[in-house]
């Protein structure tokens, strides 16, 4: 028997061990996220994937899927909070999407499009943080960091550094 939960009224099948985020992605349903990546253990730090279950909130990327869960994601309240986080990230760093080589393949940009965040609401910080190009495999542009920690997890958990 297929195991399922409800996400915004839609039935989502899942396999043992999947999180709500994993199952949603497998079913083709987008839950906004920045720090989730299928190759790494979830850490639940960006909070963009926050969903509501029985009036309580939690991160979809760390929540194990269970039979009968009733999950809300696309609510006005949750999306308003996601918009605020996204707007803060855009002004805190230098995210020049039109000239960025990652445009079209960027989780921050995907979140912004999903939430209709297309123009700034707060003053830009215009940070000037040093670039670290000393590593042969990683180019670290700190003024474009979104604190997803994926580079840290790749280095620590995959490369064992
Ligand atoms: Fe879940 Fe970042 S994707 S907290």
């Amino acid at each position: 028997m297929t195991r399922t939960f409800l996400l915004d009224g839609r039935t989502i099948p899942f396999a043992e061990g999947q999180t709500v985020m994993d199952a949603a992605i497998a079913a083709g349903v987008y839950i906004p996220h920045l720090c989730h990546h299928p190759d790494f253990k979830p850490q639940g730090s960006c909070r963009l994937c926050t969903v509501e279950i029985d009036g309580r909130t939690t991160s979809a990327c760390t929540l194990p899927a269970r039979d009968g869960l009733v999950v809300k994601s696309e609510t006005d309240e949750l999306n308003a909070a996601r918009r605020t986080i996204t707007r803060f990230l855009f002004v805190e760093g230098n995210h020049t999407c039109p000239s960025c080589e990652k445009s079209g393949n960027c989780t921050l940009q995907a979140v912004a499009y999903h939430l209709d965040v297309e123009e700034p609401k707060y003053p830009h910080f215009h940070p000037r943080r040093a670039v670290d190009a000393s590593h042969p495999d990683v180019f670290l542009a700190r003024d474009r960091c979104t604190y997803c920690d994926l580079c840290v997890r790749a280095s620590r958990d995959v490369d064992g550094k």
Side-chain angles (χ1 to χ4, degrees), residues 52-116:
E52 187 185 316
I53 297 166
D54 291 334
R56 302 176 73 169
T57 54
T58 188
S59 52
C61 68
T62 58
L63 179 70
R66 291 197 314 269
D67 279 313
L69 276 180
V70 178
V71 184
K72 294 179 189 171
S73 176
E74 289 295 321
T75 71
D76 290 346
E77 195 176 7
L78 289 172
N79 278 338
R82 289 167 176 154
R83 262 183 219 103
T84 299
I85 295 169
T86 305
R87 287 185 166 122
F88 284 165
L89 287 170
F90 267 101
V91 300
E92 195 278 337
N94 296 327
H95 302 284
T96 52
C97 296
S99 61
C100 179
E101 72 280 5
K102 284 292 186 182
S103 185
N105 184 23
C106 168
T107 48
L108 179 62
Q109 191 181 47
V111 168
Y113 276 134
H114 182 78
L115 298 170
D116 292 325

Side-chain angles (χ1 to χ4, degrees), residues 129-135 137-145 151-152:
R129 303 182 186 116
V131 167
D132 182 351
S134 63
H135 193 280
D137 300 323
V138 177
F139 179 89
L140 185 57
R142 292 188 173 90
D143 62 359
R144 294 158 81 185
C145 176
C151 62
V152 174

Side-chain angles (χ1 to χ4, degrees), residues 21 32-36 43-49 59-62:
M21 176 69 81
H33 59 272
L34 273 182
C35 70
H36 169 78
Q43 72 170 14
S45 61
C46 77
R47 311 315 290 179
L48 278 163
C49 73
S59 52
C61 68
T62 58

Side-chain angles (χ1 to χ4, degrees), residues 3 5 13-24 36 38 40-42 60-67:
R3 304 179 67 187
F5 63 89
F14 69 93
E16 186 65 36
Q18 280 188 314
T19 63
V20 166
M21 176 69 81
D22 295 330
H36 169 78
F40 302 107
K41 279 188 279 189
C61 68
T62 58
L63 179 70
R66 291 197 314 269
D67 279 313

